Amino acid sequence: MKKIVIIMIGLSLMLSVSCKEKPADVKLKGIINFITGDVIIKSSSGEAKAKAGDLVAEGVTVITGPGSVADIYFNENVVRILEKSTVEIRELFQEAGSGKEFTGLFIEEGKVFSKVARKLTSGEKYQVTTKTTVAGVRGTEFLVEDSEDGSRVACIEGTVAVKKADEDDSKLINLEAGNEAVLDENKKFNVRELKGQNRENIRKIRDEIKEMRKDIRDKFEKQRAEIKKQVSD
């Protein structure tokens, strides 16, 4: 009888450990640092005109009108969404336990320039995708464009890993700085050197990105403190 009781206690302890809930991933938020022109934030609760200081979270779509741009910081990383673009924030979270960060942007149409200032650690992800292309990095500066003519990825600093959206990681192409990969009509990547004017145009986009405002930096400090408390609890 004692053996049965001991076995039952052991089983109940095992079940209680196995049934313990896995810590939830921490949802992060980006912050709009600068806008010009007409920029709309679209979420499950509706649409609203964007302004500097607004938060953007996973599931939000940012839409820019003609002649409009939006700079969004994700901690130290920043993107500039150029005019006539529609971009969805598909992933934006910190993994529970490991603290690794995951950022995933989907370009429905238009152009996005990314400046990934913090070099990602192994297992982290910063990825920009279109209907046909996937571009992922660890620390670099690059532009992704999706239009009726196809998709283009241009790298001006570091290295970008590029593949078609329907391919696995074994097909990744490492795109070095000063080059671009264009998906042609035959659905094949054409890797070529960035022409002088194109390179200068992309550098101009980068240089026009505004420095993070003090009030935006303060918001990130507050967010980091809240995440630290959430993780410790």
Side-chain angles (χ1 to χ4, degrees):
M1 184 67 182
K2 286 183 178 180
K3 286 184 178 180
I4 294 173
V5 172
I6 291 170
I7 291 170
M8 289 181 68
I9 292 171
L11 286 171
S12 65
L13 287 171
M14 288 172 64
L15 284 170
S16 65
V17 170
S18 63
C19 292
K20 189 176 181 180
E21 289 186 8
K22 179 186 174 183
D25 294 330
V26 179
K27 297 298 182 182
L28 302 176
K29 290 181 175 63
I31 305 176
I32 296 178
N33 188 67
F34 171 81
I35 62 170
T36 183
D38 295 321
V39 180
I40 299 296
I41 296 177
K42 184 179 178 181
S43 66
S44 58
S45 59
E47 295 185 2
K49 189 170 182 178
K51 61 183 185 299
D54 281 348
L55 302 177
V56 294
E58 198 173 88
V60 163
T61 297
V62 181
I63 304 166
T64 57
S68 306
V69 299
D71 293 349
I72 306 175
Y73 275 88
F74 302 98
N75 285 318
E76 298 304 318
N77 303 327
V78 60
V79 300
R80 168 160 282 203
I81 302 176
L82 287 99
E83 67 167 346
K84 301 177 185 177
S85 298
T86 301
V87 181
E88 180 188 354
I89 316 299
R90 288 200 167 172
E91 288 183 299
L92 191 58
F93 67 92
Q94 185 182 88
E95 188 177 60
S98 70
K100 297 182 186 297
E101 293 186 9
F102 294 79
T103 303
L105 310 179
F106 177 74
I107 304 175
E108 294 182 22
E109 62 177 342
K111 300 179 185 179
V112 173
F113 177 84
S114 295
K115 183 177 181 180
V116 183
R118 183 180 70 83
K119 188 170 183 178
L120 276 61
T121 62
S122 177
E124 290 189 306
K125 184 176 85 171
Y126 184 99
Q127 196 172 79
V128 181
T129 64
T130 70
K131 294 181 288 291
T132 57
T133 305
V134 177
V137 302
R138 285 198 176 179
T140 191
E141 299 174 1
F142 67 107
L143 177 106
V144 179
E145 177 182 2
D146 185 71
S147 67
E148 293 179 356
D149 298 326
S151 292
R152 177 171 73 109
V153 180
C155 180
I156 62 168
E157 188 73 34
T159 304
V160 183
V162 182
K163 67 174 184 176
K164 290 191 290 185
D166 58 358
E167 292 180 332
D168 60 39
D169 288 351
S170 66
K171 303 293 185 180
L172 283 169
I173 299 169
N174 286 323
L175 189 67
E176 302 292 336
N179 292 292
E180 65 178 355
V182 180
L183 199 63
D184 62 25
E185 63 274 9
N186 297 316
K187 302 300 181 185
K188 290 185 179 180
F189 274 117
N190 178 18
V191 178
R192 62 198 184 196
E193 186 177 358
L194 265 172
K195 293 181 181 179
Q197 190 58 54
N198 285 342
R199 187 182 305 195
E200 288 308 310
N201 288 343
I202 296 172
R203 283 177 175 164
K204 184 179 178 183
I205 292 169
R206 175 197 62 189
D207 295 343
E208 287 179 348
I209 293 175
K210 308 299 182 185
E211 289 290 327
M212 189 188 294
R213 293 168 19 175
K214 184 182 182 303
D215 59 319
I216 303 298
R217 189 170 295 280
D218 290 344
K219 286 185 178 182
F220 275 120
E221 290 296 333
K222 184 179 178 181
Q223 179 175 262
R224 280 191 281 268
E226 288 173 351
I227 291 172
K228 187 175 181 181
K229 184 176 184 300
Q230 185 177 339
V231 170
S232 62
D233 290 346

